[in-house]
DNA sequence: TTGATAGTTAAGCATATACTTAACTATTGT
DNA sequence: ACAATAGTTAAGTATATGCTTAACTATCAA
């Protein structure tokens, strides 16, 4: 898609699609951390970690502030929440449909409804 | 990451990161559809739609079967469910932490706990 | 003031993604 | 048998992504 302004969910799911970034989010879900703390378990340069962090911040999943020379990062749960809601709504919609279908089948199938009405 | 086998969540979130594919999932959450039906509201070639469908199938979000010349696609809710769970677990973890923190603050702040014990 | 720490930024590179066109293959209705 | 329908597949292209190295900028500590 040309000239497309990415929607919030584009950025959120894109950010979560990378295993390194999911690890960073997992770490941050335990509590705030500095950039170096985020980088510590990761097998890549600090530079790469900073770039991943930029993606997370652009998506709104993470917020950070610098005090002195250390930048402290923390999770921003709202975007996490809307991603979760998008998924659960589709899933709910699909499952409601299956329920209606199931009810219809039970109601019309003579083997599950031999008598009644 | 070189030589990295993409994890199921990588594929799921990657698939959901594209607005066209989310539209397809939304359509499918209302019930099964053929490839042409999926393509109908989309401003791109059938070819492109087939390729998006391949991404959705590779992620396990969608399953399809061909009968005669029409391929019918439907949602596979399991992967949707695990993506949802991943998110809600991180969010829960973050929120539990905030709760503990809040409780701690209330318990130690003399203005909210002027007497007692 | 000098050095170590913590992070930033730009450039370059390999690979992946989101398309298009075009040529092709089955299936079905007439 | 013939054309229309439904989808598939390959090739090409532009842009995006996930890194690296390297050069740089603040802050803190001795």
């Amino acid at each position: 898609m040309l000239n497309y302004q990415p929607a919030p969910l584009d950025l959120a799911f894109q950010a979560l699609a990378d295993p390194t970034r999911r690890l960073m989010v997992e770490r941050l879900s335990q509590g705030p951390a500095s950039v170096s703390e985020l980088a510590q378990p990761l097998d890549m340069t600090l530079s790469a970690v900073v770039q991943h962090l930029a993606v997370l911040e652009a998506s709104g999943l993470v917020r950070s502030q610098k005090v002195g020379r250390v930048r402290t990062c923390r999770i921003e749960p709202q975007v996490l929440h809307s991603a979760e809601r998008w998924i659960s709504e589709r899933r709910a919609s699909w499952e409601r449909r299956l329920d209606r279908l199931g009810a219809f089948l039970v109601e019309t199938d003579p083997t599950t409804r031999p008598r009644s009405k």
Side-chain angles (χ1 to χ4, degrees), chain A residues 9-65:
Chain A
L9 284 182
D10 292 42
L11 298 177
F13 286 130
Q14 186 64 259
L16 294 177
D18 185 276
T20 298
R21 286 191 296 260
R22 281 203 309 282
L23 264 182
M24 292 169 74
V25 168
E26 279 179 27
R27 169 62 186 79
L28 290 175
S29 72
Q30 310 294 120
S34 71
V35 176
S36 320
E37 281 165 359
L38 286 176
Q40 189 254 304
L42 301 173
D43 187 20
M44 66 185 64
T45 63
L46 226 211
S47 174
V49 174
V50 168
Q51 291 169 63
H52 279 301
L53 179 59
V55 173
L56 287 169
E57 294 211 50
S59 75
L61 286 165
V62 166
R63 186 169 41 89
S64 77
Q65 52 193 348

Side-chain angles (χ1 to χ4, degrees), chain A residues 29 32 36 39 45 49-51 57 67 69-70 73 90 93 100 108 116:
Chain A
S29 72
S36 320
T45 63
V49 174
V50 168
Q51 291 169 63
E57 294 211 50
V67 170
R69 59 185 167 174
V70 5
C73 312
R90 306 315 132 197
S93 164
R100 285 196 303 273
T108 50
S116 100

Side-chain angles (χ1 to χ4, degrees), chain A residues 88-100:
Chain A
S88 82
E89 278 168 3
R90 306 315 132 197
R91 209 164 56 83
S93 164
W94 172 257
E95 276 157 13
R96 268 198 307 277
R97 209 193 127 269
L98 283 194
D99 287 351
R100 285 196 303 273

